[in-house]
Amino acid sequence: SQTIHQWPATLVQPVGSPLSLECTVEGTSNPNLYWYRQAAGRGLQLLFYSVGIGQISSEVPQNLSASRPQDRQFILSSKKLLLSDSGFYLCAWSVGRVLNNEQFFGPGTRLTVL
Amino acid sequence: AQSVTQLDSHVSVSEGTPVLLRCNYSSSYSPSLFWYVQHPNKGLQLLLKYTSAATLVKGINGFEAEFKKSETSFHLTKPSAHMSDAAEYFCVVSDLDTDKLIFGTGTRLQVFP
């Protein structure tokens, strides 16, 4: 069966520090991978998605970046965190197009920037 | 462009009473629609999905939703609420133009004993 892992589960970082969040998927090949951010009281905002190794599409210009060094690994990074980067970060995967296929979400990372 | 509107940001019900979470969609073609649930500090879990088959869709945990094209609605219902149903619920539409999911802003369901 397929599983998706995210770590760390929680993170408290000072403003201006770097960030690296990791997501890995097991039990499937060549998944589509997604990074979302959920701010308090808001819905989900798609940040990045990837359809293959090294293929990253950015949805929102900001100080975050994403990389996909391996087929089932997706990393969210920042060189210098801002207060506004606080939120709940969710990784998700899917196979095929969104028409009929659900996205499977990881447990999330709670990031607090102080 | 596709979009969804969740008409209530908060819904409160008593345990054992019916649940109704409202969602309206906008789509230029026949959409695929989903309901996801998120318990506090957890990821999202799919409750059910509509993909142009039967208009009444049954999901997990006793939830169901009815696709009504004439009303552009996809409301989520459950006959009898349980305490464990307290969570945030998201209505989602697929966007074929961009191959992405478009999420509503969510409805927080509270269940009182």
Side-chain angles (χ1 to χ4, degrees), chain A:
Chain A
S1 63
Q2 300 91 358
T3 55
I4 178 169
H5 304 279
Q6 284 186 249
W7 63 90
T10 60
L11 191 60
V12 180
Q13 291 285 94
V15 169
S17 63
L19 173 74
S20 181
L21 303 181
E22 188 165 345
C23 170
T24 58
V25 180
E26 297 176 356
T28 187
S29 296
N30 196 30
N32 300 325
L33 295 172
Y34 308 84
W35 276 113
Y36 290 90
R37 177 169 60 202
Q38 187 176 26
R42 296 187 178 183
L44 272 70
Q45 178 187 35
L46 180 63
L47 300 175
F48 301 94
Y49 72 97
S50 171
V51 299
I53 295 174
Q55 300 178 62
I56 310 293
S57 295
S58 173
E59 290 296 298
V60 183
Q62 55 200 331
N63 69 321
L64 299 173
S65 62
S67 62
R68 184 169 178 174
Q70 300 180 43
D71 181 44
R72 289 168 288 179
Q73 184 184 30
F74 205 24
I75 297 172
L76 183 69
S77 303
S78 175
K79 292 181 179 178
K80 290 185 177 182
L81 284 168
L82 306 173
L83 286 174
S84 57
D85 292 325
S86 293
F88 194 49
Y89 288 81
L90 290 161
C91 180
W93 70 272
S94 70
V95 176
R97 300 194 68 199
V98 297
L99 176 59
N100 294 316
N101 296 313
E102 67 181 281
Q103 290 183 11
F104 299 90
F105 286 81
T109 295
R110 173 75 58 192
L111 172 65
T112 303
V113 182
L114 302 176

Side-chain angles (χ1 to χ4, degrees), chain A residues 6 32 34 36 38 41-46 49 51 57 59 88 90 96-108 110, chain B residues 30-34 36 38 41-46 49-52 88 90 94-101 103-106:
Chain A
Q6 284 186 249
N32 300 325
Y34 308 84
Y36 290 90
Q38 187 176 26
R42 296 187 178 183
L44 272 70
Q45 178 187 35
L46 180 63
Y49 72 97
V51 299
S57 295
E59 290 296 298
F88 194 49
L90 290 161
R97 300 194 68 199
V98 297
L99 176 59
N100 294 316
N101 296 313
E102 67 181 281
Q103 290 183 11
F104 299 90
F105 286 81
R110 173 75 58 192
Chain B
S30 183
S32 290
L33 293 157
F34 309 77
Y36 281 83
Q38 183 182 30
N41 293 309
K42 301 290 185 184
L44 277 70
Q45 180 186 20
L46 182 71
K49 65 180 178 181
Y50 166 77
T51 56
S52 75
E88 184 126 24
F90 292 95
S94 62
D95 187 330
L96 289 183
D97 295 330
T98 61
D99 205 25
K100 297 182 180 65
L101 296 180
F103 287 79
T105 51

